[in-house]
Amino acid sequence: MLRTVFAILASLTSIYAIVCVVRIILTWIPRATFHPATKFLSSVCDPYLDLFHGIRWMRIGGLDFSPAIALCLLGAVSTILSHLANSPVLKLGSVLSLLVQTTGSIVSSVISLLILLFVIRLIMIFVTGGAFSSSSLTYQIDQMLGPVVTSISRTFAGDRQISYKTGLIIAIVTLIVLNLIVQIVFSLCAGMLAGLPL
């Protein structure tokens, strides 16, 4: 009976996570804000998602990655509930391993998204032939990414003046290496914790 309850709760948590993803995607579509279905999703998801908006370290430049934490937490809860549905014994090592995996997943997702945005912006530079454009979209992207690109490239270039394109390339390579290191370290830690006899 208890296993069935855990299985149902795991399914409901997964469904709620999917609903939250839909809500997040709809925030990117300005006209969808006033649709009744969007208002319903807002009333269901926003109280939970708003719990994570105040996390300052999840804001990089003009980008807010706090929804990633909210979704990863739902995923972790769903995984724990699924584990309880299949096995009534939950070891401390398994829980700690899951927390480390979730944290690593959040960090890796944020880094991967930044890499994707930097690559898109770099492609835009190659297509247009210049670093900057009068397009409002390009301007907004540069306003969000500029501080991050500057911080990363300054680490390697020091006070030397470099082009925005070079800064993007330095940032992309740096983040790819950092992402690999993060994945290896978190995977090793999770594996060691999962092996604990507790």
Side-chain angles (χ1 to χ4, degrees):
M1 175 66 177
L2 197 56
R3 288 186 181 190
T4 305
V5 171
F6 285 134
I8 291 170
L9 289 174
S11 298
L12 290 175
T13 305
S14 296
I15 292 168
Y16 186 69
I18 292 168
V19 171
C20 286
V21 168
V22 172
R23 168 64 182 139
I24 291 165
I25 291 170
L26 287 175
T27 62
W28 302 339
I29 306 170
R31 291 184 182 174
T33 306
F34 304 105
H35 194 276
T38 305
K39 289 182 180 180
F40 172 74
L41 288 176
S42 174
S43 66
V44 171
C45 300
D46 287 0
Y48 173 71
L49 295 172
D50 287 345
L51 295 173
F52 300 89
H53 278 299
I55 303 173
R56 289 186 180 180
W57 59 270
M58 287 306 295
R59 293 186 80 70
I60 300 174
L63 300 173
D64 181 12
F65 292 99
S66 62
I69 293 180
L71 295 174
C72 285
L73 185 59
L74 286 173
V77 169
S78 178
T79 303
I80 290 172
L81 291 169
S82 294
H83 184 77
L84 287 171
N86 296 321
S87 170
V89 179
L90 187 63
K91 297 190 316 182
L92 177 63
S94 298
V95 173
L96 292 175
S97 174
L98 180 62
L99 291 174
V100 168
Q101 287 174 357
T102 302
T103 304
S105 175
I106 292 170
V107 173
S108 181
S109 297
V110 169
I111 294 171
S112 297
L113 182 58
L114 282 173
I115 292 169
L116 179 65
L117 291 172
F118 289 161
V119 167
I120 290 170
R121 184 60 183 106
L122 187 61
I123 291 170
M124 290 169 68
I125 289 174
F126 284 120
V127 169
T128 61
F132 298 101
S133 167
S134 59
S135 161
S136 62
L137 175 63
T138 306
Y139 177 77
Q140 289 175 349
I141 290 172
D142 287 336
Q143 287 294 103
M144 290 187 297
L145 301 181
V148 183
V149 172
T150 302
S151 297
I152 294 173
S153 59
R154 190 177 294 153
T155 303
F156 297 97
D159 291 332
R160 287 184 298 139
Q161 287 290 97
I162 58 172
S163 69
Y164 190 57
K165 180 169 64 173
T166 304
L168 280 169
I169 293 169
I170 290 171
I172 290 167
V173 171
T174 303
L175 290 177
I176 288 172
V177 171
L178 179 63
N179 204 12
L180 288 172
I181 292 170
V182 163
Q183 290 176 5
I184 291 168
V185 168
F186 277 93
S187 179
L188 288 172
C189 290
M192 288 188 299
L193 288 169
L196 290 175
L198 302 172

